[in-house]
Amino acid sequence: ESDHAAQALQPMTGGVPPGWLDGDIAIVTGAGAGIGRAIAGHFAQAGAFVLALDKDGRAAETCVAGLSGPGEAIAVDMADRAAVRAAIESIASERGRIDILVNNAGVYPMMPIDALDDAVWDRTFDINLRGAFVAMQAAAAHMKDGARIVNISSIDSLRPSAPGLGHYGASKAALNALTRSAAIEYGPRG
């Protein structure tokens, strides 16, 4: 514990300090590219076993191939509730626990409100909100005290950054509310 406290006080210039996550089992959704891939890379560098989840299985494999530590790629569509639950149950069964869940997967198809249809609205909410909810609920059942859940949001949850992102901002605002409620419920566990 004291080593972690000392490391936490050091400035972080390149991500998570080496050794900080030694042996942790970390799930990162949307790990095939961008922010998710960067998070997975930092976690691996810090010693975590990274489970890179992405709808694009090849992108997840590329992510894992580029890690400085061990990991596993899992193809899963975050809009498919049963697939998300099955993936997390499989991870927990194989690894014995889950220490970190980062809900990073998200979509933001730009479309003006007048042009939005139910399919685009539903897919945005299915991935950005429901997928995170399902993953959080499934993972929490396998997390011990002190485990961490991180939900990646957006400035668009607070104020629009560009036209055509109303549905995206709404999904991320809902994710913020869910995250605050989860903090109240799971927070006492550490």
Side-chain angles (χ1 to χ4, degrees), residues 17 23 31 73 77 80 90 151 156 177:
D77 181 350
D80 182 340
S90 176
N151 293 326
D156 282 283

Side-chain angles (χ1 to χ4, degrees), residues 5-125:
Q7 286 178 344
L9 297 175
Q10 300 301 313
M12 287 186 8
T13 57
V16 184
W20 182 261
L21 303 176
D22 275 350
D24 281 359
I25 306 302
I27 298 171
V28 181
T29 71
I35 293 169
R37 186 177 287 185
I39 292 168
H42 286 298
F43 282 6
Q45 188 175 26
F49 184 93
V50 176
L51 294 122
L53 277 60
D54 202 280
K55 180 180 178 187
D56 181 343
R58 283 192 176 165
E61 289 170 8
T62 300
C63 171
V64 170
L67 297 178
S68 63
E72 179 182 344
I74 300 173
V76 63
D77 181 350
M78 293 302 292
D80 182 340
R81 290 174 275 195
V84 171
R85 282 190 187 97
I88 294 197
E89 290 300 323
S90 176
I91 290 165
S93 176
E94 290 176 21
R95 302 285 162 195
R97 68 184 195 286
I98 297 168
D99 300 304
I100 303 168
L101 168 66
V102 178
N103 279 311
N104 170 71
V107 295
Y108 50 94
M110 295 188 81
M111 187 173 291
I113 292 170
D114 288 347
L116 272 175
D117 60 23
D118 288 348
V120 172
W121 180 272
D122 290 347
R123 179 109 178 119
T124 302
F125 272 79

Side-chain angles (χ1 to χ4, degrees), residues 179-190:
T179 301
R180 287 189 292 273
S181 292
I184 291 168
E185 293 182 30
Y186 298 140
R189 294 175 48 186

